[in-house]
Amino acid sequence: MKDILQIENLTHTYGIGTPFEKSAVKDISFSVGDGEFLGIIGHTGSGKSTLIQHLDGLLKPTSGRILLDGRDIWAEPKKIRSVRFEVGLVFQYPEYQLFEETVYRDIAYGPANMGKSGAELDSCVREAARLVGISDNMLQRSPFELSGGQKRRAALAGVLAMRPRVLVLDEPTAGLDPAGRENLMANIRDYHRNRGCTVILVSHSMDEIAQNVDRILVLKSAGILMEGTPREVFARAEELLAAGLDVPQITRVAMALHRRGVPIDPAVYTVEELTKELLALRGGGKTC
């Protein structure tokens, strides 16, 4: 898999030269594959939000580089705006950024600023709306008439309409009920699968991360604590818990069974995996 993003020795320090000087991320290096679904986890203050704001140039590194397709995004500062069309960042509670008179115009705002118009702009808007489950009859409504979940989808559509190559999502399901969370994540999974773009998901929900991503980056104290596939990361569940982080509920169940002497893999992280493990025990004549 070719890398689309490379983060090299990234450090960002706030309040330089003041008594409040602090590095929110410090000497971080990693890469993101083209088409990969990457999850980023870490407790509050670990540097997640600061890190992702560098990926589209909202923040400039104190030191280090962000490479998009091998090019330093800050090599030509006057062109940094173009990076934001390729790397779309959806902040936590993006519905607070809705401002246009209609849902259609709000979704159209980004691609219109890219220079799209007429049929091309209309295609971008309707495709993005369809991807997140917004019907045509909702497009002419005021975004402020929508439910909380509908507003969230409209805000997401506004970024998808720009057709970014990298979609960065900061806690996209925060504040939604369980049905709303799963509905929105299903939209994001469909988008990733159908468009083949890169998705970076920041979430406090270990179950959400476990069920969706290809690889996980774990941040702690402004640096990288560990990275790997979900199985590799959740195999280190005790280390995650010691660091003040959580693990998926299924992993907690598997760990508890393992401690009670049940011979199953304590690193399983999905219902399907745990069911398979337990059925295998039953088939082998073992009891739980």
Side-chain angles (χ1 to χ4, degrees), residues 14-257:
Y14 293 102
I16 295 175
T18 75
F20 306 103
E21 182 173 321
K22 181 180 180 180
S23 292
V25 294
K26 191 172 183 179
D27 198 29
I28 285 181
S29 297
F30 67 97
S31 59
V32 186
D34 192 5
E36 184 177 19
F37 202 138
L38 175 71
I40 299 179
I41 61 177
H43 55 71
T44 300
S46 61
K48 303 186 303 296
S49 293
T50 296
L51 170 61
I52 62 173
Q53 287 180 68
H54 283 81
L55 303 183
D56 74 339
L58 282 178
L59 290 178
K60 187 175 183 179
T62 303
S63 62
R65 300 192 302 168
I66 307 293
L67 306 179
L68 177 63
D69 276 336
R71 303 187 308 274
D72 185 345
I73 66 171
W74 284 102
E76 298 180 75
K78 291 182 179 180
K79 295 184 179 180
I80 195 65
R81 184 168 175 265
S82 66
V83 172
R84 294 167 194 154
F85 297 146
E86 295 194 69
V87 182
L89 174 58
V90 181
F91 286 104
Q92 190 174 5
Y93 300 109
E95 59 270 26
Y96 296 154
Q97 299 166 50
L98 298 171
F99 64 94
E100 284 283 8
E101 294 178 0
T102 66
V103 174
Y104 185 100
R105 289 180 61 177
D106 223 304
I107 297 173
Y109 183 81
N113 274 277
M114 295 173 67
K116 299 185 186 300
S117 61
E120 183 183 22
L121 176 61
D122 186 69
S123 174
C124 289
V125 171
R126 294 185 185 280
E127 179 188 42
R130 185 171 62 254
L131 285 168
V132 300
I134 292 177
S135 61
D136 284 349
N137 61 9
M138 291 171 60
L139 290 175
Q140 297 308 318
R141 293 175 60 185
S142 166
F144 306 107
E145 296 175 359
L146 305 181
S147 68
Q150 290 170 335
K151 287 180 181 177
R152 185 75 55 89
R153 290 197 293 273
L156 175 58
V159 175
L160 298 187
M162 294 188 289
R163 297 174 178 171
R165 298 174 59 205
V166 181
L167 177 64
V168 185
L169 302 158
D170 187 7
E171 300 283 356
T173 63
L176 299 181
D177 61 31
R181 289 198 297 270
E182 177 49 36
N183 184 275
L184 185 60
M185 284 309 305
N187 292 147
I188 292 167
R189 286 194 298 270
D190 288 345
Y191 177 77
H192 175 250
R193 182 174 58 251
N194 296 331
R195 294 299 300 264
C197 72
T198 300
V199 176
I200 299 174
L201 171 67
V202 176
S203 178
H204 278 99
S205 169
M206 295 299 174
D207 292 287
E208 193 169 272
I209 289 285
Q211 293 165 18
N212 291 286
V213 307
D214 304 315
R215 186 165 60 97
I216 300 172
L217 191 72
V218 184
L219 301 186
K220 181 186 178 185
S221 303
I224 296 175
L225 175 65
M226 65 180 81
E227 62 179 302
T229 65
R231 177 169 293 279
E232 290 169 340
V233 168
F234 294 129
R236 300 167 66 179
E238 296 290 357
E239 191 176 347
L240 288 169
L241 293 170
L245 298 170
D246 204 354
V247 295
Q249 288 297 316
I250 291 299
T251 304
R252 284 185 174 274
V253 171
M255 291 170 67
L257 290 172

Side-chain angles (χ1 to χ4, degrees), residues 272-283:
E272 292 76 17
E273 281 192 317
L274 183 58
T275 301
K276 186 177 179 180
E277 291 266 345
L278 294 175
L279 288 174
L281 287 176
R282 184 177 181 183

